[in-house]
Amino acid sequence: MFTLQEVADMIREDGVSAVFKTYASASLTPSTGKVTRGTSTSHTVTVVPPNADGGVVEQYGSIDGVKEAKLFSVVAALGLAFEPQVGQEFVWDNQTWAVTWVNPIRSNAGVLAYQFGIKGRA
């Protein structure tokens, strides 16, 4: 089991800056299937550099069978003003990605980090 300090150290050593965009509201138009989002809020965070082989993320648990993502990353839970969710926009390296899955990494103290997958937006 990982500790909060181990998570912080790993992200601090290898971390890169990225942005999660959250939306206060969203509505679905049933006839078209289109989702209209409200105002966005950008949250700048430090993440493990997204990687295609999942090598860094596998330190926190298996990602076997996950085919919905092109890249994988981890963000520490401490200090986050939001909880990462499927469908959020993730901006890294001047490219906007979509979060395709999120897995909280837990310990006895609660959620330490979130591992997540991303893929390019259409």
Side-chain angles (χ1 to χ4, degrees):
M1 186 169 287
F2 288 89
T3 67
L4 184 59
Q5 188 61 51
E6 288 171 325
V7 170
D9 290 345
M10 186 198 67
I11 293 173
R12 183 176 41 254
E13 288 172 17
D14 299 322
V16 296
S17 185
V19 174
F20 276 94
K21 289 187 178 180
T22 59
Y23 293 86
S25 64
S27 62
L28 171 69
T29 304
S31 61
T32 63
K34 182 177 179 178
V35 174
T36 303
R37 294 179 171 170
T39 305
S40 71
T41 301
S42 295
H43 304 274
T44 302
V45 297
T46 301
V47 299
V48 171
N51 60 84
D53 67 3
V56 173
V57 195
E58 285 180 347
Q59 293 179 43
Y60 290 100
S62 174
I63 57 171
D64 293 341
V66 175
K67 296 179 180 16
E68 300 86 26
K70 182 170 183 168
L71 299 174
F72 306 92
S73 187
V74 175
V75 63
L78 184 64
L80 283 183
F82 65 100
E83 183 175 321
Q85 296 178 5
V86 171
Q88 283 178 332
E89 292 177 333
F90 177 79
V91 182
W92 169 69
D93 199 24
N94 295 318
Q95 186 172 354
T96 301
W97 304 79
V99 175
T100 58
W101 62 268
V102 177
N103 180 40
I105 310 305
R106 300 180 189 280
S107 76
N108 294 340
V111 177
L112 300 177
Y114 297 93
Q115 64 184 140
F116 60 95
I118 57 175
K119 69 176 181 179
R121 297 201 49 92

